[in-house]
Amino acid sequence: MLQTVAKTFFHALAGSRTLKSLASRYGMRGNGGFARRFIAGETVEEAIAAARVIERDGLAVTLDLLGESVATAAEADTATRAYLAVIDAVAASGVGRNISLKLTQLGLTVDRATCVDNLRRILDAATAHAFFVRIDMENSPYTAVTLGVFETMWQQEYRNAGVVLQSCLPRSEQDATRMNELGARVRLVKGAYKEPRAIAYQSKADVDAAFVRIMRALLADGTYPAIATHDPNMIDATRAFARERGIDPARFEFQMLYGIRRDLQASLRREGYGVRVYVPFGREWFPYFMRRLGERPANVGFVLRAILSER
Ligand SMILES: Cc1cc2nc3c(=O)[nH]c(=O)nc-3n(C[C@H](O)[C@H](O)[C@H](O)COP(=O)(O)OP(=O)(O)OC[C@H]3O[C@@H](n4cnc5c(N)ncnc54)[C@H](O)[C@@H]3O)c2cc1C
């Protein structure tokens, strides 16, 4: 209940322009900016530096240039060029060749064809440089179209991309079966958005139970799934299922967000599991940051302490 209220509250705040401009001015200022706990920086150089530190500890990365819901084809083109520049910079740097992106960043809300063209430009560059591209999942108005765009690219033989499924949506169980049939790589998450009762589970117990069911289907029949969660119960269930079925840890990986449960990231790695950290960066960090606060209201205390300790 508290979690639902917090999610709704922070999603509403995420739409506030005043708050956004205030936060943008101070959140990433200097090394002590309060958003730096969750955002690697505003530039690709800062993201690459963060990736190097993570990789030094034996973890893998996926870099996400933050941005979503662009309103015009010109903005979508700018975002696409920015991603192409990220691919070049990451390739030159030697850090892991794995990126995550959102289709509304590439013009999905402008029109589908624009988005598909932009995604193709990115997948072509990614193929040339041996990158893997994860298409993040956004809120429910975009679920079907995101999976549809992915399948279009898959049918055109683009195999260096994967999708995300959210266990809060009952439809995800069927979507997982479909992705397993294709042989496509899935990242499983609980879902970061407040979704309507008509199409989404509302209780944590239901979301968690669905997460475990989908995790099992992906581990048993999927292609190198990513189990993306900080929830120790979900992680235990994954470990237990893999052990019970004799599934080699090399056939899947865990994923977590930058700055969250670093202790758990390290301990899973020590146990021999693959762990990938999602490293978000860029100037458009505010909506992402607010979603992280909404997931765990205790983070607000952390942010307030960081602000108060700033001079
Ligand atoms: C790699 C990765 C990629 C993701 N990609 C997407 C995506 O494409 N689409 C999408 O909708 N969602 C995405 N998410 C977010 C996801 O849907 C959840 O909102 C988020 O992971 C919180 O859920 P949880 O599984 O950690 O479990 P929860 O039940 O929310 O949390 C379990 C425990 O994890 C810790 N925790 C969780 N969140 C936080 C936080 N913000 N700060 C501090 N501690 C926290 C706390 O200890 C908490 O008790 C992604 C998550 C990860 C890890």
Side-chain angles (χ1 to χ4, degrees):
M1 174 65 183
L2 182 64
Q3 213 175 22
T4 309
V5 173
K7 244 188 186 180
T8 312
F9 179 66
F10 284 100
H11 278 242
L13 286 186
S16 158
R17 284 178 186 220
T18 318
L19 203 59
K20 181 178 177 185
S21 81
L22 260 177
S24 301
R25 203 167 320 145
Y26 299 111
M28 300 295 288
R29 200 175 54 171
N31 283 333
F34 60 81
R36 285 193 181 270
R37 165 75 186 266
F38 303 113
I39 318 291
E42 292 197 332
T43 65
V44 69
E45 289 75 25
E46 287 175 293
I48 288 169
R52 286 211 168 95
V53 173
I54 292 164
E55 289 185 344
R56 210 173 47 209
D57 291 335
L59 310 174
V61 293
T62 180
L63 266 57
D64 175 45
L65 172 58
L66 292 166
E68 48 202 88
S69 299
V70 304
T72 65
E75 283 173 7
D77 179 61
T78 304
T80 304
R81 286 170 195 271
Y83 255 108
L84 295 173
V86 167
I87 288 175
D88 283 342
V90 170
S93 76
V95 301
R97 298 183 177 205
N98 191 309
I99 54 173
S100 295
L101 52 77
K102 292 184 172 48
L103 293 189
T104 64
Q105 204 172 357
L106 305 185
L108 190 58
T109 46
V110 181
D111 72 272
R112 191 183 190 276
T114 301
C115 174
V116 168
D117 285 348
N118 288 335
L119 180 60
R120 188 176 290 116
R121 287 160 71 192
I122 292 174
L123 291 180
D124 283 338
T127 305
H129 292 289
F131 271 63
F132 180 76
V133 179
R134 179 74 63 180
I135 302 174
D136 285 350
M137 187 55 80
E138 300 178 69
N139 46 342
S140 56
Y142 303 110
T143 312
V145 66
T146 298
L147 295 174
V149 167
F150 171 75
E151 274 212 49
T152 301
M153 306 316 284
W154 187 266
Q155 304 307 352
Q156 294 173 21
E157 305 298 324
Y158 286 98
R159 295 292 146 85
N160 57 334
V163 289
V164 177
L165 297 178
Q166 301 156 325
S167 73
C168 67
L169 301 182
R171 65 166 285 162
S172 292
E173 289 189 53
Q174 278 184 348
D175 293 331
T177 305
R178 174 71 187 145
M179 291 302 142
N180 285 350
E181 281 165 9
L182 290 176
R185 279 166 65 172
V186 173
R187 173 200 291 152
L188 175 64
V189 301
K190 291 189 187 180
Y193 303 87
K194 171 81 185 90
E195 297 292 359
R197 185 172 296 276
I199 56 151
Y201 298 121
Q202 302 294 309
S203 78
K204 177 171 163 59
D206 286 343
V207 174
D208 287 1
F211 192 99
V212 172
R213 288 195 298 274
I214 301 172
M215 172 275 288
R216 289 179 174 164
L218 293 174
L219 254 62
D221 302 319
T223 304
Y224 196 68
I227 308 303
T229 179
H230 317 91
D231 186 337
N233 292 332
M234 300 300 105
I235 290 168
D236 285 350
T238 307
R239 278 194 291 219
F241 185 72
R243 250 193 325 267
E244 188 187 306
R245 291 294 186 94
I247 296 168
D248 191 319
R251 284 182 43 208
F252 64 95
E253 69 183 20
F254 288 107
Q255 293 190 353
M256 293 191 210
L257 300 176
Y258 180 78
I260 299 181
R261 292 303 311 263
R262 286 174 288 206
D263 54 335
L264 201 50
Q265 297 174 13
S267 70
L268 282 171
R269 185 67 205 122
R270 276 196 302 275
E271 281 177 48
Y273 292 100
V275 180
R276 188 176 302 279
V277 179
Y278 182 102
V279 180
F281 71 98
R283 293 179 61 80
E284 293 298 319
W285 50 266
F286 186 68
Y288 173 91
F289 176 71
M290 293 305 275
R291 283 199 289 276
R292 303 292 80 84
L293 292 193
E295 275 157 6
R296 191 163 177 265
N299 284 341
V300 179
F302 162 80
V303 167
L304 285 176
R305 279 195 300 281
I307 294 172
L308 292 173
S309 66
E310 269 187 42
R311 283 156 201 254

